[in-house]
Each structure stands twice: as structure tokens, then as C-alpha cells.
């Protein structure tokens, strides 16, 4: 299995930055990471269907757990949303580092799976649809 | 960049481990694809699946093989280990077997799906086989609706693909079941194996009915099952993607100077020449001289014979002073004897093509097309002309010059070119025939056709001597030579003065 490319990790960071820019200053960055996951879910479910997205997320979560063991407590729901991610972020406290890492890892692996199946240009296009105002260029 | 450009997703391909099959598939099996291997019982589906898994299984590519109500795993392993590809060391965790029979019997589709997903995720399998999936479908259709089945297959495909597994569902299907079948709709790839028994031979063929994302070779491809497992013989003969050569203007000598003159200097390089004539007319020795002449000029040659063994063929060449033993030892000549009984055309052609590639062959003789056809299993004879056409096209494009012989059942009212209607395969045709002249059965040769080049239109006498075929003089002063029973021209009664002039020495060349 290939590991996610630097450009996909960079894309995930850009999504996080774009989402963080919308939130209040007091809110931890980790919360933005959770919102990235949720926004991707809504957008990709429209594209791949609930089952299709849920299947991808299940794989992404399994791969992300290898990087961030804290994700072992997270499960996916039938609608493709994540059970326990918000709690993980909240428990991580105001610094939110662990929570942020967890959410970013899921996002990276979800995007990387998409790249594996449909290629990077189409993956970036799907991300643009979810964040039409964000600058996702390198 | 557009989708046609280099930014499109790169679909990696897995090798099948089956000789020839990767070429048929267009390079291999698309990674993460969801495939069906279909066919009637006994046609090699399980063996094909095993060949694929043993070719790919590794610690980085674990395999999970589900057995369901079909052949029990113990029996399967007992028989499959008889094949050479079977590697027992890979059963040490790399390839795992799981039995779903009881679950399928006792539970519903949801439970079967959950069990498959659970096993796949736990093993992190990269290749998943369900054998036989048909039994899952058959059992569940008795209790589930068709839409429930469709949903099950859809979810199974989604989960296994998303889990980055390449999947093979094996099923006993018969032709006609493809229509409106949700299993086939969801599948990315559909490989169909066929088997028919004709007289004493088994004819096996494989078709890639469907393969998303890459260009497979259409049509039915012959395959054989041996102790090595399946071996396929692609209709492209292993020459897919090879660019053809523009035919040069070089002429190859036949080793018969008089014939070279009639051909306008020899056989154009890369042409297919058909030598047609009755039994005993010297077709084989003419072809032998063509090969011997090539060897004299350092051009490796191959002779495909069907009616005599190589030693006999070399012995016969020696009778005409041609040494075929030394070049065979030097690997510049190969005499291929193709055993009769149950050959397929494509299998035969593959053997020829492989030898052509191995030797760097420039000249090929097929002696004879009649023998070739007779050596085939009855079920393959219908494919004969089409396969021959593809082979000759493929080889001549590579620059090989081919001389084929064909026996004509002689009659004395007309002059056929071939009883097998294979003359369309030839760029050039030389016809040999017997003619009855002055109380003798004499031999006559004429060049009937040469594509793209001028040739003599003379009908000449020839003899088969201890040196081989020797071209003699033009047969002048006879009418109806092509009928085989000519009569002398009677210039006065026919009142054709120009024919008299022609008979007296004017020799038009085409």
C-alpha cells in the first residue's frame, strides 16, 4: 500500500486552514478538522452515495488508525459520520493537538483513497466543490 | 491537463500468472477490480483463480479464499496442489481459506456480507475469492428478492473495492444468463470460460466479455489446461503492440534461378507466397529450396511440417543435396513438427510465432496447409482460415517471408488455385500442375499473382531433378494449357497470326 503523497497531505492542511479561517478565534483548531471531515462526508455522499462513502471512510479510518492509535476509539456510523471524533477532540483540550492529528489523518487517508481510485485532478475538483471559496492551489 | 493526458488515474495491473492471459486482458488485471470468472462446471474456473492468487500472494498481498457449498476446501487443496504453480509455502498465512457454507445455509444475505467484510478487514486481504458465488446467489434467491440480491452485490463490491481488494467471484453460469443479471452489471470484469467436447478432443476457449478501464483483446481465445495450469493462446499471438515493418523492395531468391526470373527477381521480402499444386508436383522441394537458399545467405528459417517428422524432412532435403542437420544444430533452422489429433489453430500458431521470435526467423515454410488443417481438432477447423489469416498478417508485418504449400486435387477441366479457398492469404501465388503433352505427363509452372509487382505470365515446363526443381522452357505452341489437356495451336484454321509470332519467340512479361 502506498503512503499518502506530500501533495495530498498538503491538500488536507489547506482544507483545514480554509475551515479554520471560518471559525471564531477561541475555537481550537481541532474543531476545524472535525468540520473538514463532516464537510467531506456531505460532499462525497452526494457523489458516491451513502454506502459508497461509508465504505471509503471505513477503509480510511483503518489506515489512519495505524498512524494515530487514538482513533481506535472512533467508529463510523451507517450514514458515514464518525462516532466519537468530537469527543476525542474535546478531551484533547484546548491545545487540540491529538484531536487535530486524528481528524487530519482521516482526511488525508480519505483523500488518498480517492486519489487511488479516481486520480488527483478529480479528487481536487471534488474538494473544490466542497470549498468553492478556498484557495486550494499549491 | 485533459483526461486523455498524463494526469488520469493510473490503474495498476496484477499479473494473472497465466501465460498469454495478461496480453488478452490488455496488460493484466486492474487492481481493486471486482471480477467474475464464469463458465460451466469443469472448465477450469477454480484452477484459474488459484493460478491468479498464487501468482500474486505475498506478505504484502494477503489472499482470502472463501469456499461456499461448492468444492470443499480440503478436496480443492488436494487437487490444486497437483499443479506446478501451487506453492505450499504461501499457505502459511499469506493465502487463507475460509468456509461460508453454514452461514449461507443458515443466515440471510446481510449476515453473509457482514462475515465477508469482517474476514477481509481482519486479514487485510488484497485479493478476495468467493468460490462459488453462484451457490450464494442460488441459495439466497430462494428467500431473498432480486432487489435484495442486487443490494447485497452492490454493497459487497463497494466494500471490497473500497478496502482496496481485487475480487473474484466464481460461478457456474451458462450462456444467456448474462442478461439482466445484477451480478454481471456490477462486475468490472467478466471472464467466461467455455468448454466443448468434439469427437475425441476437448476445445477450451476463454472470452473477456467485459473489462472496465482497459482495452482487452476481443473474441474467443483458446486455452489448454496442463500440469502448469491454464495456458492461453491470445488471438494476437503475443504480437500485440508490435509495430509492423514497411515492406522493403528486397527480393528473396527462392534458390531456383528460373523461378526467381518468373517472379521478377524473387519473392518480395515480407510477402506470403502460396505454392499450389497436385500431389507429387514438387511443392515441398520448392519450399525446401527456398529455406536452403535463405540459410546460404545467413537468414534463419523455420519449417512447420505436419505430415512427416523433422528427421524425415531433413533426410528428404539431403536427397537433394541440402544439409538441414548442421543449421538445426546451429539454431539457424528449426523444423517444427506439430503433432496431430487435438491441436488448436492458435496453439499451433503460437508455437510457430514463438520459434520465429526466438530464432529471428526471416523465412518460414508451412508444409502444408492441408496437413495443418488435418492436424487440428475438429472443433477448431472452422477457425482455420481466420486464424491463418491473422498469423500470416502478423508475421509478414514483422518482415518474415512465408512460403505455404497447398495440395490441389487436380482435374482436367479447370485450374483451381486451392480447394481450401486460402488463396486470399497470399500476396503471391505459384501454381504447379500436370499437363498431358505428346503422350507424356509433364509438369508446368506459372506465376498466377504477385501483389504490387510485375511478374512473368509465361507458362513454363519444369522438372524435379536430384538438384531440386529446375525451370525449363516456356511451353509454346499449345492452347488450353491451364486445362491440363492442351492441344497444339492450328494457326491456319484459327487464323490468329499474332499467336504464331508469339510462339516463334516473342515473350511478353507482365
Amino acid at each position: 500500500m502506498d503512503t499518502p503523497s506530500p501533495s495530498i497531505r498538503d491538500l488536507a492542511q489547506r482544507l483545514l486552514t480554509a475551515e479554520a479561517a471560518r471559525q471564531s478565534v477561541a475555537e481550537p483548531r481541532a474543531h476545524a478538522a472535525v468540520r473538514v471531515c463532516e464537510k467531506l462526508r456531505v460532499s462525497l455522499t452526494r457523489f458516491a452515495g451513502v454506502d459508497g462513502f461509508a465504505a471509503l471512510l471505513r477503509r480510511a479510518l483503518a489506515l489512519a488508525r495505524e498512524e494515530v492509535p487514538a482513533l481506535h476509539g472512533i467508529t463510523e456510523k451507517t450514514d458515514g459520520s464518525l462516532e466519537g471524533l468530537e469527543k476525542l477532540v474535546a478531551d484533547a483540550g484546548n491545545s487540540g493537538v491529538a484531536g487535530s492529528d486524528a481528524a487530519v489523518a482521516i482526511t488525508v487517508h480519505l483523500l488518498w483513497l480517492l486519489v487511488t481510485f479516481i486520480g488527483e485532478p478529480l479528487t481536487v475538483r471534488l474538494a473544490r466543490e466542497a470549498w468553492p471559496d478556498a484557495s486550494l492551489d499549491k | 491537463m485533459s483526461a486523455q493526458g498524463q494526469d488520469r488515474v493510473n490503474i495498476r495491473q496484477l499479473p494473472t500468472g497465466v501465460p498469454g492471459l495478461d496480453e488478452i486482458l490488455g496488460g493484466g488485471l486492474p487492481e481493486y477490480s471486482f471480477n467474475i470468472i464464469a463458465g460451466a462446471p469443469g472448465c477450469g474456473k477454480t484452477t484459474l483463480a488459484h493460478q491468479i492468487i498464487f501468482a500474486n500472494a505475498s506478505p504484502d498481498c494477503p489472499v482470502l479464499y472463501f469456499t461456499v457449498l461448492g468444492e470443499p476446501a480440503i478436496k480443492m487443496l488436494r487437487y490444486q496442489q497437483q499443479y506446478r504453480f501451487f506453492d505450499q509455502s504461501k499457505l502459511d498465512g499469506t493465502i487463507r481459506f475460509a468456509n461460508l457454507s453454514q452461514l449461507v445455509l443458515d443466515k440471510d444475505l446481510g449476515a453473509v456480507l457482514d462475515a465477508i467484510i469482517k474476514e477481509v478487514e481482519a486479514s487485510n486481504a488484497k485479493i478476495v475469492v468467493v468460490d462459488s458465488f453462484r451457490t450464494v446467489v442460488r441459495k439466497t434467491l430462494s428467500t431473498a428478492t432480486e432487489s435484495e440480491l442486487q443490494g447485497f452485490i452492490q454493497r459487497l463490491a463497494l466494500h471490497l473495492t473500497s478496502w482496496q481488494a481485487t475480487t473474484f467471484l466464481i460461478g457456474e453460469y451458462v450462456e444467456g444468463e448474462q442478461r439482466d443479471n445484477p451480478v454481471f452489471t456490477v462486475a468490472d470484469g467478466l471472464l467466461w470460460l467455455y468448454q466443448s467436447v468434439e469427437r475425441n478432443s476437448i476445445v477450451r476457449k476463454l472470452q473477456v466479455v467485459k473489462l472496465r478501464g482497459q482495452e482487452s483483446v476481443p473474441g474467443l481465445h483458446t486455452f489448454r489446461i496442463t500440469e502448469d495450469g491454464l495456458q492461453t493462446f491470445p488471438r494476437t499471438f503475443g504480437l500485440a503492440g508490435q509495430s509492423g515493418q514497411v515492406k522493403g523492395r528486397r527480393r528473396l531468391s527462392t534458390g531456383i534461378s528460373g523461378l526467381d526470373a518468373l517472379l521478377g527477381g524473387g519473392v518480395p521480402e515480407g510477402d506470403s507466397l502460396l505454392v499450389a499444386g497436385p500431389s507429387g508436383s514438387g511443392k515441398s522441394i520448392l519450399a525446401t529450396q527456398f529455406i536452403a537458399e535463405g540459410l546460404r545467405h545467413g537468414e534463419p528459417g523455420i519449417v512447420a511440417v505436419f505430415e512427416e517428422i523433422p528427421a524425415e524432412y531433413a533426410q528428404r532435403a539431403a536427397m537433394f543435396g541440402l544439409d538441414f542437420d548442421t543449421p538445426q544444430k546451429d539454431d539457424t533452422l528449426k523444423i517444427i513438427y506439430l503433432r496431430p489429433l487435438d491441436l488448436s489453430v492458435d496453439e499451433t500458431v503460437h508455437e510457430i510465432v514463438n520459434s520465429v521470435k526466438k530464432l529471428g526467423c526471416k523465412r518460414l515454410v508451412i508444409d502444408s496447409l492441408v496437413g495443418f488443417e488435418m492436424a487440428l481438432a475438429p472443433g477448431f477447423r472452422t477457425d482455420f482460415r481466420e486464424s491463418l489469416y491473422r498469423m500470416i498478417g502478423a508475421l509478414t508485418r514483422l518482415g518474415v517471408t512465408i512460403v505455404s504449400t497447398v495440395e490441389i486435387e487436380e482435374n482436367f477441366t479447370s485450374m483451381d488455385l486451392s480447394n481450401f479457398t486460402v488463396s486470399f492469404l497470399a500476396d503471391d501465388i505459384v501454381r504447379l500442375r500436370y499437363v498431358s503433352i505428346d503422350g507424356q505427363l509433364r509438369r508446368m509452372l506459372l506465376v498466377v499473382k504477385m501483389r504490387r509487382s510485375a511478374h512473368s505470365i509465361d507458362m513454363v515446363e519444369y522438372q524435379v531433378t536430384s538438384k531440386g526443381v529446375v525451370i525449363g522452357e516456356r511451353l509454346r505452341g499449345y492452347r488450353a494449357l491451364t486445362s491440363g489437356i492442351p492441344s497444339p495451336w492450328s494457326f491456319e484454321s484459327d487464323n490468329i497470326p499474332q499467336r504464331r509470332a508469339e510462339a516463334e519467340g516473342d515473350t511478353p512479361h507482365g
Side-chain angles (χ1 to χ4, degrees):
Chain A
M1 170 69 193
D2 295 335
T3 52
S5 68
S7 65
I8 286 304
R9 290 190 185 278
D10 183 59
L11 174 63
Q13 286 298 340
R14 284 173 191 277
L15 296 181
L16 187 59
T17 304
E19 203 52 41
R22 294 165 177 240
Q23 69 189 23
S24 63
V25 179
E27 201 175 15
R29 187 174 166 84
H31 290 181
V34 174
R35 285 209 306 275
V36 168
C37 288
E38 179 59 15
K39 215 162 176 175
L40 271 176
R41 180 184 75 80
V42 173
S43 176
L44 292 178
T45 298
R46 248 195 323 265
F47 160 69
V50 174
D51 280 350
F53 175 76
L56 278 177
L57 182 70
R58 194 176 171 90
R59 177 63 172 162
L61 190 55
L63 295 168
R65 279 178 186 137
E66 291 173 15
E67 277 182 28
V68 183
L71 281 169
H72 280 284
I74 309 293
T75 54
E76 78 283 357
K77 291 196 263 187
T78 50
D79 66 351
S81 60
L82 290 165
E83 176 107 58
L85 184 59
E86 286 190 48
K87 185 172 183 304
L88 177 74
V89 168
D91 290 350
N94 278 342
S95 70
V97 175
S100 178
D101 284 353
V104 169
I106 295 169
T107 306
V108 164
H109 282 284
L110 194 56
L111 291 172
W112 185 238
L113 273 179
L114 278 174
V115 168
T116 305
F117 289 118
I118 62 173
E120 191 163 330
L122 289 179
T123 301
V124 173
R125 185 172 294 183
L126 285 172
R128 276 188 206 287
E129 282 176 19
W131 282 270
D133 303 327
S135 168
L136 302 181
D137 296 327
K138 293 171 190 172
Chain B
M1 187 163 290
S2 71
Q4 288 93 31
Q6 62 189 30
D7 274 355
R8 65 186 174 188
V9 66
N10 177 35
I11 298 177
R12 284 187 293 209
Q13 295 169 317
L14 307 182
T16 58
V18 178
L21 185 53
D22 292 351
E23 179 176 344
I24 293 170
L25 292 167
L29 290 159
E31 193 178 36
Y32 314 141
S33 55
F34 189 78
N35 307 286
I36 294 169
I37 301 174
C43 62
K45 301 181 297 297
T46 297
T47 305
L48 173 59
H50 273 81
Q51 226 164 325
I52 292 169
I53 65 172
F54 277 99
N56 289 280
S58 71
D60 292 332
C61 182
V63 173
L64 189 54
Y65 200 109
F66 290 105
T67 52
V68 192
L69 294 175
E71 190 180 3
I74 289 174
K75 279 177 71 182
M76 191 189 302
L77 290 178
R78 173 177 163 78
Y79 295 126
Q80 290 296 322
Q81 66 181 277
Q82 306 305 320
Y83 291 110
R84 285 209 186 108
F85 61 75
F86 195 95
D87 179 357
Q88 295 205 17
S89 68
K90 291 192 174 180
L91 297 185
D92 190 19
T94 304
I95 297 173
R96 286 185 55 242
F97 289 85
N99 191 292
L100 293 175
S101 300
Q102 205 56 45
L103 197 69
V104 169
L105 285 172
D106 296 345
K107 306 277 184 178
D108 61 7
L109 285 173
V112 174
L113 181 66
D114 288 345
I116 292 175
I117 291 171
K118 193 176 159 194
E119 290 276 1
V120 170
E121 292 185 2
S123 64
N124 206 20
K126 294 284 179 285
I127 295 179
V128 176
V129 181
V130 183
D131 184 4
S132 135
F133 188 71
R134 182 65 198 264
T135 56
V136 177
V137 173
R138 200 173 274 148
K139 161 67 178 61
T140 52
L141 269 182
S142 61
T143 53
T145 64
E146 195 176 310
S147 63
E148 283 172 323
L149 174 65
Q150 188 150 15
F152 164 72
I153 295 161
Q154 179 82 26
R155 286 195 296 277
L156 181 66
L158 267 176
H159 278 280
L160 294 179
T161 301
S162 298
W163 202 259
Q164 295 176 286
T166 307
T167 305
F168 300 91
L169 308 182
I170 296 175
E172 299 82 27
Y173 292 95
V174 292
E175 283 178 82
E177 285 190 272
Q178 296 174 43
R179 223 172 300 125
D180 301 328
N181 189 322
V183 182
F184 297 121
T185 308
V186 171
D188 300 312
L190 173 55
L191 302 183
W192 206 290
L193 308 185
Y194 304 88
Q195 169 179 275
S196 63
V197 180
E198 298 207 23
R199 296 194 205 168
N200 298 319
S201 63
I202 291 178
V203 174
R204 296 181 195 270
K205 292 190 176 180
L206 173 150
Q207 185 180 14
V208 182
V209 178
K210 170 184 182 182
L211 189 59
R212 290 185 176 131
Q214 61 192 49
E215 195 177 351
S216 55
V217 181
L220 293 165
H221 306 270
T222 305
F223 72 96
R224 185 175 277 275
I225 301 178
T226 67
E227 57 188 7
D228 290 322
L230 273 75
Q231 181 181 4
T232 58
F233 303 97
R235 288 158 49 81
T236 40
F237 309 127
L239 299 171
Q242 296 210 18
S243 57
Q245 291 182 5
V246 178
K247 288 184 181 179
R249 300 177 71 179
R250 194 164 85 95
R251 299 282 180 143
L252 304 189
S253 171
T254 58
I256 305 165
S257 57
L259 179 57
D260 289 347
L262 294 170
L263 291 166
V267 187
E269 186 174 26
D271 266 17
S272 165
L273 168 72
L274 183 70
V275 180
S279 175
S281 59
K283 303 179 297 295
S284 294
I285 183 59
L286 188 154
T288 306
Q289 286 174 273
F290 169 76
I291 285 289
E293 182 66 10
L295 293 170
R296 269 194 288 276
H297 289 91
E299 294 169 350
I302 288 172
V303 183
V305 290
F306 300 87
E307 290 149 49
E308 56 190 341
I309 60 172
E312 286 172 352
Y313 193 88
Q315 210 170 34
R316 198 158 51 79
M319 288 165 60
F320 295 95
L322 304 172
D323 174 17
F324 274 14
D325 291 327
T326 309
Q328 281 189 92
K329 285 179 197 145
D330 295 345
D331 272 345
T332 54
L333 171 68
K334 184 164 184 187
I335 303 173
I336 304 173
Y337 171 63
L338 295 148
R339 68 200 181 288
L341 294 179
D342 65 344
L343 282 180
S344 73
V345 189
D346 289 340
E347 193 174 353
T348 311
V349 168
H350 268 270
E351 191 153 346
I352 294 172
V353 170
N354 286 342
S355 299
V356 164
K357 288 197 280 194
K358 194 174 163 195
L359 250 69
C361 163
K362 297 290 177 201
R363 297 186 184 214
L364 167 68
V365 161
I366 300 172
D367 191 15
S368 68
L369 294 181
V370 178
F372 190 167
E373 192 186 28
M374 290 301 290
L376 300 175
F380 289 118
R381 289 186 190 155
T382 49
D383 301 341
F384 177 63
R385 285 196 301 152
E386 191 244 344
S387 295
L388 205 60
Y389 176 75
R390 284 187 283 113
M391 179 193 81
I392 288 177
L395 289 179
T396 53
R397 277 197 301 278
L398 290 179
V400 179
T401 308
I402 303 172
V403 170
S404 311
T405 67
V406 64
E407 189 171 326
I408 305 285
E409 198 176 313
E410 198 73 289
N411 69 60
F412 288 88
T413 52
S414 63
M415 190 179 78
D416 294 334
L417 292 176
S418 158
N419 298 340
F420 288 80
T421 329
V422 288
S423 50
F424 72 95
L425 299 169
D427 298 305
D428 318 313
I429 298 175
V430 168
R431 177 69 158 91
L432 313 179
R433 81 158 301 161
Y434 295 117
V435 286
S436 170
I437 297 175
D438 296 338
Q440 290 182 313
L441 193 61
R442 289 154 73 173
R443 292 182 170 109
M444 181 185 82
L445 179 151
L446 70 151
V447 179
V448 176
K449 158 189 167 186
M450 284 193 80
R451 211 189 297 274
R452 300 179 306 275
S453 63
H455 61 89
S456 169
I457 56 170
D458 287 356
M459 291 183 237
V460 299
E461 186 167 10
Y462 72 96
Q463 291 185 326
V464 180
T465 72
S466 61
K467 302 280 185 197
V469 171
V470 176
I471 304 295
E473 294 297 313
R474 176 180 160 198
L475 287 163
R476 299 167 189 273
Y478 298 96
R479 61 191 302 177
L481 274 167
T482 55
S483 72
I485 40 174
S487 57
W489 281 108
S490 173
F491 301 116
E492 287 72 25
S493 63
D494 289 344
N495 194 22
I496 307 175
Q498 69 270 26
R499 296 214 196 277
R500 178 201 294 270
E502 188 184 315
E504 284 171 356
D506 193 14
T507 54
H509 283 240

